[in-house]
Amino acid sequence: ARGVILTGLIGMDIQGSRSPEMHEAEAAAQGFALRYRLLDLAQPPEQDADLAQTLEMVRAAGFAGVNVTHPFKQRVMALLDELSDEARAIGAVNTVVFRDGRSTGHNTDSYGFAEGFERQLGGVALDRVVQVGAGGAGAATAMAMVKLGCRELVIVDPQATRAADLVARLPGGIARAATRPVAAEIADAQGIINATPIGMEGHPGVPVDAALLRPDLWVADVVYFPLETALLAAARAIGCRTAHGGDMAVFQAARAFDLFTGHPANRERMAARF
Ligand code: NAD
């Protein structure tokens, strides 16, 4: 009999994560045992552990890998032996795989966003897109825009160095930091991506003034709790095409499952369960 595959998530305030259920149920459906442990560094018993110690602990315990989330996606990079090209270009790691004594960092958020985008917004115009938020999620959505063929991606973030860093790192030369007021940038765009936490539970509000929306704009959100944010609700109310963040959550998990186990996750089954 095969042993239990050990995986998990390192982050802070992650008790609401649906990843344990998604990963464990998919493994069970495929006929093998997998445990997905939450290693919440904001909670006892892991509260005083640091990221490096936690990573070393799970490696030594024989974990196949771990997901990494807020606030560690950037910090973990320096602790790994190798990075995938994509993780390096994005500048963030959400999946670490331990194999043959080495740790490799991957980023599956970009894949997850791209898959969700194509499912919910396939065929929309991508000549000019405005993205609000240039943190970890924003780096992944920007990379997805490169892959999906966006021609010009305008990055808005009140932390100007974050926007500038993302523009400098992103391959393809499609990104620029916003130079005009957001209203003017949106007036010329075909779509808006929210890559800020605004709209999620605990962060109410809208990341851009709903009065700037038009029916011909598409709107995509990375937030998935709730699935319909105030921004998406306002957009749908005037007839915009929209994409929620739920598919991103499912497909980033599916690709991480592939990497942890070597067995491709059944995407439809994982999505249906979510
Ligand atoms: P982060 O803190 O790294 O980055 C957020 C960025 O948004 C910051 O740079 C901040 O300055 C910027 N910002 C805040 N308010 C803004 C505004 N009004 N206009 C423009 N920029 C603004 O956070 P993160 O890790 O990137 O996460 C962002 C959100 O993405 C969270 O809600 C998280 O849950 C979600 N997320 C979803 C998935 C998924 O699978 N669906 C995956 C990753 C992250």
Side-chain angles (χ1 to χ4, degrees), residues 70 73 109 132-138 156-159 162 195-198 200 207 222-224 245 248-249 252:
H70 191 79
K73 286 183 184 179
D109 284 332
V132 290
V156 181
D157 195 308
Q159 299 189 54
R162 284 205 164 189
T196 79
I198 300 170
M200 73 185 276
V222 298
V223 171
Y224 62 94
M248 181 183 187
Q252 64 76 25

Side-chain angles (χ1 to χ4, degrees), residues 191-203:
I192 300 176
I193 298 170
N194 174 43
T196 79
I198 300 170
M200 73 185 276
E201 204 184 56
H203 294 266

Side-chain angles (χ1 to χ4, degrees), residues 29-202:
Q30 294 199 25
F32 60 91
L34 179 150
R35 288 289 163 272
Y36 191 104
R37 293 265 146 79
L38 293 179
L39 298 150
D40 192 332
L41 303 199
Q43 300 276 333
E46 257 79 45
Q47 196 164 22
D48 294 321
D50 73 10
L51 176 62
Q53 286 171 341
T54 307
L55 205 60
E56 174 51 23
M57 180 187 79
V58 295
R59 190 198 61 73
F63 276 48
V66 280
N67 286 129
V68 177
T69 192
H70 191 79
F72 301 124
K73 286 183 184 179
Q74 282 91 8
R75 235 180 291 169
V76 74
M77 297 177 74
L79 303 171
L80 304 174
D81 296 318
E82 289 165 26
L83 297 172
S84 71
D85 291 344
E86 191 173 43
R88 189 177 297 110
I90 293 169
V93 160
N94 81 323
T95 303
V96 176
V97 174
F98 303 111
R99 191 162 295 148
D100 302 328
R102 296 184 70 73
S103 56
T104 305
H106 300 265
N107 187 303
T108 71
D109 284 332
S110 174
Y111 165 80
F113 182 77
E115 287 292 311
F117 193 91
E118 292 202 296
R119 284 164 66 108
Q120 299 179 71
L121 288 172
V124 297
L126 294 171
D127 300 309
R128 182 176 288 163
V129 175
V130 173
Q131 174 179 309
V132 290
T141 59
M143 182 59 90
M145 281 293 116
V146 173
K147 284 190 273 183
L148 292 172
C150 172
R151 300 254 202 85
E152 185 176 4
L153 185 66
V154 181
I155 311 283
V156 181
D157 195 308
Q159 299 189 54
T161 58
R162 284 205 164 189
D165 287 350
L166 178 54
V167 168
R169 202 170 49 235
L170 197 70
I174 68 162
R176 66 171 172 86
T179 50
R180 300 177 290 165
V182 180
E185 299 288 7
I186 289 176
D188 289 346
Q190 292 142 346
I192 300 176
I193 298 170
N194 174 43
T196 79
I198 300 170
M200 73 185 276
E201 204 184 56

